[in-house]
Amino acid sequence: MKQRIGVYICHCGGNISDYVDVEQLGKLMANEDGVIVSKDVMFACSDANQKQMIQDINEKQLDAIVVASCSPKLHTHTFRGVAERAGINPYNYTQVNVREQCSWAHSDKPMDATIKAYGLIRAGINRVTHSEALESIEITAQKAVAVIGAGVSGLRAAIDLARMGNQVYLIEKEAEVGGRVLTSGKLFMTGENGKEVIDRLYQRLKQMNNINIFTNANLDKISGSFGNFFIDVNVGGELLKLNVGSVLVTTGFDFYQPKEGEYGYKLSENVITLPDFNKLVENGNGKLIHNGKPVKTVAYIYCVGNRQSKGENKYCSRHCCTAAIHSSLNLHEKFDGVKAFHLYRDIRTYGKQELLYQESSKKGDIYIKFEEKEPPIVEMKGNKPFIKVKDYLTSKKELTLDADLVVLVTGMVARSDSNEISGKLKIPIGTDKFFNEIHPKLKPVETVIKGVYIGGACQGPKNISESVQSALSGAAKINAVIRKGSIELEPIVARINPEACAWCNKCSEVCEFDAIKPIESNGKMIAEVNISTCTGCGICAPVCPTNAIEVAHFTDNEIESMIDGFASPANIAPREQTNQNTSSAKAQSLAGYPKIWRTIASALNDKPLSIPQITEKINISIQEVTWNVMTMNRYGFIESTGLDGDEVYHIYKLKK
């Protein structure tokens, strides 16, 4: 048990201390068992405080530290680094969240916030008392990657992975590589043909001797774990066995297929989807002919199968507006005299794609806005479609369009075989049926399965550029992890007490990551945890009838002691009202406060200044200066002397 603990409670520049009485808590925690150092500090994460913590650890021979500040998501690595630099194990440090969980959540009840913070900090002290020194888990890793899906994203990612020195196995279900781009015709913005792009990438692939391409290949089975996946691939009836360190999934998307009767689809040969129309334009020569008749008028209907408030696909596919307008421009470029009507709900051509919209308007394309509650109605007279639509740009005036061809602008949906892929790789699927990343901003290409990454449109609608960027991100992540031939993993994993375990299989049944298997030990069957697969989620522990499982860093002793600490009665005195006049003593020294405070104080040494004048003098953004001046004023380091000559800005001076 740890018996020399340091506790640091952060003011966070007032974010915490405005509501939580951190000064009183700092004094109370000094009386807790095992606490050698207890301090309230202005900014726990500041360089000055980190240096002070290291000095305290060394001088007082501390063996554990507790930091009560903001969310552990923000600064766990910061204080683990402090612990390591001071020579103690980083897992003998605990961070307690008294900002998001106390001061911000209970700002209307400061006394309650202080009592809650008291309980949380005591829980943190109790936990760190029982903390163990843990070491990172290091496992060997194959410098080989399986890329599943050889569309433009998979091809580009395979090239990058190979260029970085990895063996790459590119697995494609179809007979040829290239995916949707192969048949997409002319592309925006380069004007290249999709086939040309794929051919160029394919030639680069062929020049690299560390890429193996398998077409007509299906993923059969996968086993193993991060660093050593074993993959069975069925290639034209032959079974191929691969051993790779990581997997990148770039299986792409399907186009939405309209239902029979949806906007007249399949009721007339003159109602077709955008991909089919693009092929018609691509193959046309001289005149645009459909079913033996010339086409003079085309009506595009947008958002077919997407953005349905009551349908399956509630999301926007993002690329459809641009694709339809680009198609219309290709139409004008190739054929003279064809009119185009665009029936849309909202035009979403973001970034440089807006140029297409402008050019389309200059070409004479007519845009008619409708609402989802009153969609266009496609009626047939013979085989010819007529469209009735209320134009919301002209006071809902009902228009009737006589179109030779109705083009349904369909969006992206998840591939029909995504459930099959998900089942084999255990990648979670969202409500939109696309593959789910862990977090769209923080971990945009990682999945909950260690070593399995996703990229491109298999995780949601993307255009070509976005798909390639996503896949390259996955390739970079993979290379960063496996390039050394070994992988360091967090030691927070489940562990088995072999004497208590009687292998009832319940832990294995609930484990979603197949991390628990039976093994024979001393003549009986017990559970064994695959540490390279285990995520430390802890779901196995509560189902164990003999309490033979616990998760490192979240042991029973740690959790139970936290509950005891939090539930202990608090003897908190009401906070005394802060007397701003008495705080002037603080102005005597800024040591231990942020460096920017000392910079601002130096600027005010010569004469009182306004915030814009301080900003100009120290060359720091006005937002940062404003926030820090306000905080310094609150804590009595500076004070206002009144307004400037124009009565626009306050003038500040150092408080004596």
Side-chain angles (χ1 to χ4, degrees), residues 228-250:
N228 275 288
F229 286 108
F230 299 95
I231 301 177
D232 291 351
V233 182
N234 188 325
V235 185
E238 293 186 14
L239 195 62
L240 178 71
K241 292 185 176 294
L242 304 175
N243 181 201
V244 299
S246 186
V247 179
L248 177 62
V249 181
T250 57

Side-chain angles (χ1 to χ4, degrees), residues 126-303:
N126 284 7
R127 181 185 182 186
V128 85
T129 300
H130 294 278
S131 66
E132 303 171 47
L134 302 174
E135 299 298 331
S136 296
I137 298 169
E138 186 167 329
I139 58 174
T140 57
Q142 297 293 324
K143 284 197 67 179
V145 183
V147 179
I148 301 174
V152 66
S153 304
L155 291 171
R156 191 65 185 80
I159 291 170
D160 246 35
L161 284 164
R163 186 181 56 78
M164 291 185 281
N166 302 291
Q167 179 66 44
V168 180
Y169 301 104
L170 186 55
I171 301 166
E172 171 55 46
K173 185 178 181 180
E174 304 296 333
E176 56 184 345
V177 301
R180 306 284 177 193
V181 174
L182 185 66
T183 57
S184 58
K186 187 178 177 183
L187 304 176
F188 177 76
M189 299 177 45
T190 63
E192 282 183 290
N193 188 285
K195 189 173 184 310
E196 295 172 2
V197 173
I198 297 301
D199 286 344
R200 190 172 67 248
L201 291 175
Y202 185 63
Q203 292 307 317
R204 285 183 65 185
L205 249 74
K206 287 175 63 178
Q207 294 170 5
M208 308 181 91
N209 56 15
N210 53 344
I211 298 180
N212 293 91
I213 306 173
F214 304 105
T215 53
N216 289 319
N218 287 290
L219 185 65
D220 192 41
K221 190 173 70 176
I222 182 167
S223 59
S225 55
F226 197 8
N228 275 288
F229 286 108
F230 299 95
I231 301 177
D232 291 351
V233 182
N234 188 325
V235 185
E238 293 186 14
L239 195 62
L240 178 71
K241 292 185 176 294
L242 304 175
N243 181 201
V244 299
S246 186
V247 179
L248 177 62
V249 181
T250 57
T251 47
F253 68 97
D254 282 339
F255 282 112
Y256 173 76
Q257 194 64 24
K259 298 178 179 64
E260 184 172 345
E262 189 173 4
Y263 295 110
Y265 187 66
K266 288 193 175 177
L267 299 182
S268 168
E269 294 173 342
N270 294 325
V271 180
I272 62 177
T273 63
L274 182 63
D276 290 337
F277 178 69
N278 286 338
K279 291 177 187 172
L280 185 71
V281 173
E282 188 77 13
N283 297 329
N285 191 15
K287 291 183 178 179
L288 184 61
I289 305 293
H290 181 64
N291 284 335
K293 296 181 179 178
V295 176
K296 290 294 183 184
T297 308
V298 176
Y300 297 89
I301 299 179
Y302 287 55
C303 293

Side-chain angles (χ1 to χ4, degrees), residues 603-610 613-614 641 651-654:
L604 295 174
N605 263 335
D606 297 335
K607 64 175 184 178
L609 299 171
S610 66
Q613 289 170 329
I614 298 171
T641 62
I651 300 293
Y652 292 93
K653 69 172 185 177
L654 288 175

Side-chain angles (χ1 to χ4, degrees), residues 277 281 288 296-298 300 324-342 356 359-367:
F277 178 69
V281 173
L288 184 61
K296 290 294 183 184
T297 308
V298 176
Y300 297 89
I325 296 170
H326 188 234
S327 166
S328 182
L329 290 174
N330 288 340
L331 178 71
H332 293 311
E333 183 179 314
K334 199 160 185 179
F335 307 102
D336 293 330
V338 181
K339 288 184 178 178
F341 295 93
H342 297 259
L356 291 176
E359 189 177 349
S360 164
S361 299
K362 290 177 182 175
K363 293 281 186 185
D365 283 1
I366 296 172
Y367 285 82

Side-chain angles (χ1 to χ4, degrees), residues 22 77 91 107 125 195 214 264 361 420 447 472:
V22 296
H77 291 291
Y91 293 93
S107 58
I125 294 171
K195 189 173 184 310
F214 304 105
S361 299
E420 183 186 343
T447 70
L472 291 180

